């Protein structure tokens, strides 16, 4: 097992652990709790607007240090994956003013970049990006430029819908097509560093396929077609959540206690 260490409330994606990905069962449990807690916000007409790994903390980040033969180095493996969602400073009620741009760059939904307005579905997009990052240990959209971000989306997810391209008042499209030079240095970077979503899958095992099906539904371009968190909670990927890890499926007192754990 290796040695054991303990630190409180560490973020779920750690630079000092070389952004080590999580085993699928841990991705499932963290993702389930994240969907549950953000669904609570959505049910109360709130949008978090800044979901990212830095805002997800382990309740108890006691971990084992294990030697990874493939990577030839020690890596941390957390023992418990109970998490808390933090930073509600940008959370917005439906009736409140909506800033044009929200979310940290890498987790920003296309409707936000295209300035088409946003609501709860932008959180769902962010969760899809986070699930990918937990699974692979890399950021899905590693960029700081809007046009390059959109080019990455198209490389990974296919063309942005014509309806959205025509509706936006931003200047990234010409006649419904993204203006992007694939032969430029930025174009080569995107081509070399991005590939269709399913090609990132690490195994042909059914559970890996279910995770990527869920991620793809969360990364639907059109927010009106994107999976809701109520639907996500019922996705087959979460069927294997252990009984003791399930939230909100017992008495009202237990539900309130679970909410306090997931939301505090």
């Amino acid at each position: 097992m290796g040695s054991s260490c303990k630190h409180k409330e560490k973020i779920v994606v750690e630079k000092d652990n070389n952004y080590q990905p999580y085993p699928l069962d841990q991705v499932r449990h963290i993702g389930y709790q994240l969907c549950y807690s953000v669904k609570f916000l959505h049910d109360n007409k709130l949008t978090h607007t800044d979901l990212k790994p830095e805002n997800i903390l382990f309740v108890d980040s006691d971990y084992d240090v294990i030697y990874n033969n493939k990577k030839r180095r020690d890596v941390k493996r957390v023992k418990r994956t109970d998490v808390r969602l933090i930073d509600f400073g940008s959370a917005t009620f439906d009736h409140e003013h909506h800033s044009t741009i929200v979310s940290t760059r890498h987790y920003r939904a296309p409707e936000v970049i295209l300035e088409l307005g946003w609501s709860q579905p932008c959180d769902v997009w962010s969760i899809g990006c986070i699930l990918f990052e937990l699974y692979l240990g890399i950021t899905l959209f590693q960029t700081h430029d809007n046009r390059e971000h959109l080019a990455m989306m198209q490389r990974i997810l296919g063309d942005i819908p014509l309806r959205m391209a025509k509706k936006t008042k931003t200047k990234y499209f010409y006649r419904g097509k993204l203006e992007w030079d694939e032969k430029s240095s930025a174009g080569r970077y995107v081509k070399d560093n991005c590939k269709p979503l399913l090609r990132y899958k690490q195994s042909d095992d059914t559970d890996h396929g279910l995770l990527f099906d869920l991620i793809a539904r969360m990364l639907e371009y059109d927010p009106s077609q994107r999976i809701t968190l109520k639907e996500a909670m019922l996705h087959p990927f979460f069927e294997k959540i252990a009984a003791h890890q399930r939230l909100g499926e017992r008495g009202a007192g237990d539900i309130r206690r679970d909410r306090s754990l997931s939301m505090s």
Side-chain angles (χ1 to χ4, degrees), residues 37 61 71 165 199 217 253 263:
S37 56
S61 53
K71 299 197 174 186
R199 287 176 57 188
R217 291 169 188 263
M263 299 294 300

Side-chain angles (χ1 to χ4, degrees), residues 6-211:
K6 190 167 186 173
H7 294 284
K8 287 291 184 182
E9 302 208 331
K10 297 281 280 188
I11 62 176
V12 297
V13 178
E14 295 184 80
K15 183 176 181 180
D16 61 357
N17 197 30
N18 297 295
Y19 302 101
Q20 180 72 11
Y22 289 86
L24 194 64
D25 63 325
Q26 294 191 337
V27 174
R28 181 186 285 113
H29 186 217
I30 294 170
Y32 172 82
Q33 294 170 90
L34 184 56
C35 287
Y36 179 88
S37 56
V38 179
K39 177 183 176 296
F40 177 78
L41 292 180
H42 291 184
D43 289 346
N44 286 279
K45 303 186 185 305
L46 271 165
T47 305
H48 187 284
T49 78
D50 196 20
L51 296 173
K52 54 186 176 181
E54 291 88 340
N55 286 339
I56 308 167
L57 304 182
F58 287 117
V59 173
D60 179 355
S61 53
D62 189 11
Y63 59 84
D64 291 311
V65 177
I66 303 168
Y67 185 75
N68 185 311
N69 288 313
K70 187 175 180 181
K71 299 197 174 186
R72 296 184 179 180
R73 63 169 180 256
D74 287 338
V75 297
K76 300 173 186 175
R77 183 69 72 224
V78 69
K79 292 180 179 180
R80 287 181 57 205
T81 45
D82 300 284
V83 296
R84 287 178 176 169
L85 178 62
I86 65 165
D87 194 356
F88 300 93
S90 301
T92 305
F93 279 103
D94 290 353
H95 69 272
E96 292 181 315
H97 170 73
H98 283 37
S99 302
T100 303
I101 302 298
V102 293
S103 306
T104 298
R105 156 66 65 191
H106 307 114
Y107 311 95
R108 187 174 294 157
E111 65 268 25
V112 178
I113 296 172
L114 298 178
E115 300 180 12
L116 297 174
W118 54 266
S119 58
Q120 282 83 8
C122 77
D123 281 345
V124 179
W125 178 280
S126 300
I127 293 173
C129 296
I130 292 167
L131 288 176
F132 179 94
E133 194 164 334
L134 295 173
Y135 175 80
L136 276 166
I138 59 174
T139 307
L140 180 56
F141 300 111
Q142 186 62 54
T143 180
H144 295 283
D145 175 80
N146 279 343
R147 196 181 300 273
E148 185 176 73
H149 198 164
L150 294 168
M152 287 180 166
M153 288 181 184
Q154 292 204 149
R155 173 81 171 151
I156 295 167
L157 303 168
D159 288 345
I160 292 167
L162 184 61
R163 184 189 68 79
M164 295 177 72
K166 285 188 170 181
K167 190 177 179 183
T168 182
K169 289 184 170 60
T170 60
K171 306 297 183 183
Y172 305 123
F173 295 87
Y174 179 71
R175 293 183 176 177
K177 293 287 186 182
L178 180 67
E179 288 196 279
W180 179 250
D181 183 2
E182 293 185 353
K183 295 180 180 178
S184 66
S185 59
R188 290 193 300 272
Y189 172 80
V190 169
K191 187 174 182 180
D192 291 344
N193 290 277
C194 300
K195 56 190 177 183
L197 182 65
L198 287 179
R199 287 176 57 188
Y200 287 98
K201 202 168 49 157
Q202 301 291 290
S203 167
D204 290 329
D205 182 76
T206 300
D207 284 352
H208 292 253
L210 289 174
L211 171 61

